[in-house]
Amino acid sequence: MTLADARARAPHLSVAQADPDADERLMLRLAAFCEQFTPLVALDPPCGLILDATGCAHLFGGEAAMRACILQAMARLSFTGRAAVAGTPDATRALARFGQEGVTPPGEDEIFTRPLSIAALEAPKETSVALTRAGLTTLGDLADRSSAALTARFGDETMRRLTRILGREDARITPLRPLPECMVERRFAEPFLDLSAIENVLRPLIAEAMGILERRGEGGRAFEARFFRTDGAVAALNFETGAPSRNVEALLRLFRLKAESLADPLDPGFGFDVIRFCVLNAETLAQSQIGFERQDAQEGDVADLVDRLAARFGRERVLRFATHETHDPVRAASYVYAASPSKPNSWEKPEPGEPPLRPLFLFDPPQPIDTMAETPDGPPMHFKWRRVRHMIARAEGPERIAPEWWRNAVGRDRRTRDYYRLEDREGHRFWVFREGLYESETAAPRWFLHGLFA
């Protein structure tokens, strides 16, 4: 129907430009709202949702009651829709769009979908026209024909659509969010409005989730608290720990810190219908016994401090050093998230009574210096850095570091470096290197100051 025809039939019709992006955002909000019914929700473009009700329907009194509950919730948000329950996502979609709404008894998907018209295939227009001209008007007509002949005439995709709609082949949905490791929730007969009492609701939820993890021998690493409002808005608050944890009070403290750091505080609006606590990531956590020594408690204190800082300032702002298996001093250490699950490698320790092999402070990039050496391959006798000449009293080296050949980056300097530890007459200690082997890699090696020893 054209717009002119529509206006002829409804003169007061309101018209607006289509906005697919706004429609998609709206569907994402509705999908988040529907996660209160099941954690597995997927978009079904252009204006549909697929909910996997496996294991959830009994919470609402059965599939029919769950379907009615969803439609009532949508009606409260001023949305009307068609909903069907079937054994496979494709059969559900076809029944909701082209067939009879309601609940299909288990194993009877084909009985209910055979009367559907060819349009339920949602095949290309030329395919639908060809099927109609061949006298095939329903899915049952297609199902009665030889699949080999239909495949040869209309292609594999048409037959795949048919078999999935009839329920002969199942294709699982891809939910918007992965299934959490553990999930507990509270539903309220009346909307929950008292924000000051949220912790009184979350505490038993967290304790219940931790009890589930304890029976599995696991601890949580990433957590999420979701708040479903009666007007369809959904607020989520995520936090994580640096080590697996089942400490209810510590998790409540992290939730409190995270809530206080929100730029947009939790707003109950007309109230929360559902409050849910999810464990998004869990790892093995063995039972431990606290000893008489203080070491374990100190390690726990540091982990607790990292968790609180990450919850207060954000995970990306709390970092720690990590070592890497490389001789290149530039790549030997880097910053990683302090709450990262990867275990840090051990740092190389100097020999007892010996100074460290490498300084803690490195210049990036290394600073060029003017040097004078007795031999081209020897350590410098003196060098000039920042207009100050340093006369060398002691030198140790070289520590030869070859470039990592597997890092075959174009334009990267691939010359060998000879590192020396130097001490001038005033007692200052430097870490310098000569870039390039004399006469084999370059005729005029350059010197750089790379670091300072404390």
Side-chain angles (χ1 to χ4, degrees):
M1 180 183 298
T2 63
L3 178 59
D5 294 337
R7 279 178 167 167
R9 297 186 182 186
H12 302 292
L13 182 68
S14 298
V15 179
Q17 291 289 337
D19 190 349
D21 294 337
D23 292 342
E24 184 178 359
R25 291 194 295 272
L26 175 62
M27 294 309 301
L28 288 173
R29 289 185 57 189
L30 289 178
F33 174 74
C34 288
E35 286 183 349
Q36 65 177 294
F37 303 105
T38 170
L40 298 178
V41 180
L43 293 179
D44 183 27
C47 54
L49 296 174
I50 297 288
L51 281 66
D52 190 341
T54 305
C56 301
H58 69 282
L59 300 175
F60 301 89
E63 295 175 341
M66 181 178 182
R67 173 182 170 277
C69 184
I70 295 173
L71 289 177
Q72 290 172 3
M74 289 294 175
R76 287 198 299 271
L77 301 179
S78 302
F79 289 99
T80 58
R82 296 172 57 85
V85 180
T88 65
D90 294 81
T92 305
R93 175 189 172 99
L95 289 170
R97 291 175 181 267
F98 304 95
Q100 180 181 0
E101 296 182 84
V103 179
T104 304
E108 298 185 9
D109 289 353
E110 183 167 349
I111 298 175
F112 279 74
T113 54
R114 283 178 69 92
L116 298 182
S117 68
I118 293 298
L121 285 175
E122 299 184 75
K125 183 178 180 180
E126 56 273 15
T127 302
S128 299
V129 172
L131 289 170
T132 305
R133 288 178 178 175
L136 304 174
T137 58
T138 65
L139 299 185
D141 296 337
L142 275 180
D144 294 335
R145 299 296 188 276
S146 168
S147 59
L150 292 174
T151 302
R153 174 65 179 85
F154 300 104
D156 294 335
E157 182 60 26
T158 301
M159 293 308 301
R160 186 179 299 110
R161 291 171 185 263
L162 177 63
T163 54
R164 288 181 177 178
I165 291 175
L166 295 177
R168 298 175 181 175
E169 177 184 342
D170 192 7
R172 295 291 87 192
I173 65 173
T174 302
L176 292 175
R177 302 195 310 139
L179 193 65
E181 299 280 351
C182 173
M183 182 181 73
V184 291
E185 64 183 22
R186 288 288 185 274
R187 295 180 177 272
F188 305 98
E190 296 293 333
F192 184 84
L193 288 166
D194 190 2
L195 279 179
S196 61
I198 276 186
E199 291 190 14
N200 295 335
V201 178
L202 276 180
R203 181 178 279 103
L205 285 178
I206 297 176
E208 184 179 350
M210 296 304 103
I212 296 173
L213 294 183
E214 185 176 9
R215 289 191 289 273
R216 299 180 187 172
E218 296 178 338
R221 287 290 310 274
F223 309 89
E224 181 187 69
R226 294 181 74 83
F227 304 89
F228 297 85
R229 288 187 355 185
T230 55
D231 59 357
V234 181
L237 196 150
N238 294 69
F239 55 95
E240 59 184 11
T241 59
S245 174
R246 294 196 294 262
N247 190 324
V248 177
E249 294 303 323
L251 296 180
L252 267 178
R253 186 165 55 249
L254 293 179
F255 167 79
R256 192 181 307 121
L257 290 171
K258 191 68 176 181
E260 292 173 353
S261 65
L262 291 178
D264 186 13
L266 287 175
D267 179 13
F270 294 103
F272 298 123
D273 274 331
V274 181
I275 295 180
R276 177 179 293 171
F277 182 77
C278 301
V279 180
L280 303 180
N281 186 18
E283 296 179 0
T284 302
L285 176 61
Q287 295 285 353
S288 60
Q289 181 177 1
I290 300 177
F292 293 104
E293 298 180 356
R294 181 61 182 164
Q295 182 178 0
D296 293 342
Q298 291 176 347
E299 293 178 355
D301 293 342
V302 172
D304 184 60
L305 175 62
V306 170
D307 294 341
R308 283 184 289 167
L309 291 175
R312 182 68 178 84
F313 301 105
R315 179 175 182 262
E316 65 283 356
R317 294 185 179 180
V318 185
L319 307 175
R320 62 174 170 82
F321 286 108
T323 61
H324 300 281
E325 296 291 341
T326 175
H327 294 289
D328 189 339
V330 177
R331 299 188 182 88
S334 66
Y335 291 112
V336 298
Y337 296 134
S340 174
S342 60
K343 296 182 179 179
N345 298 323
S346 60
W347 295 91
E348 185 177 358
K349 297 181 180 178
E351 295 293 334
E354 294 293 328
L357 295 176
R358 296 180 178 180
L360 294 177
F361 180 79
L362 296 179
F363 292 107
D364 185 20
Q367 301 193 1
I369 56 176
D370 297 329
T371 62
M372 176 64 72
E374 289 182 348
T375 61
D377 293 337
M381 298 174 59
H382 60 83
F383 68 89
K384 189 176 182 180
W385 175 52
R386 292 181 179 175
R387 301 180 180 180
V388 177
R389 187 172 300 280
H390 298 271
M391 304 303 295
I392 304 303
R394 298 179 180 85
E396 189 177 31
E399 177 189 4
R400 178 161 296 177
I401 299 178
E404 296 175 338
W405 56 267
W406 56 90
R407 301 183 188 277
N408 191 20
V410 177
R412 180 170 295 177
D413 193 352
R414 298 180 54 79
R415 292 177 179 175
T416 303
R417 294 179 176 183
D418 281 346
Y419 279 86
Y420 291 91
R421 290 186 295 180
L422 306 179
E423 180 178 332
D424 64 5
R425 294 177 181 177
E426 286 74 26
H428 302 130
R429 296 176 178 177
F430 309 93
W431 202 43
V432 303
F433 68 86
R434 183 182 57 243
E435 186 181 62
L437 299 179
Y438 182 67
E439 290 185 344
S440 60
E441 294 182 351
T442 177
R446 301 172 60 195
W447 286 84
F448 294 87
L449 176 62
H450 203 170
L452 300 174
F453 289 96

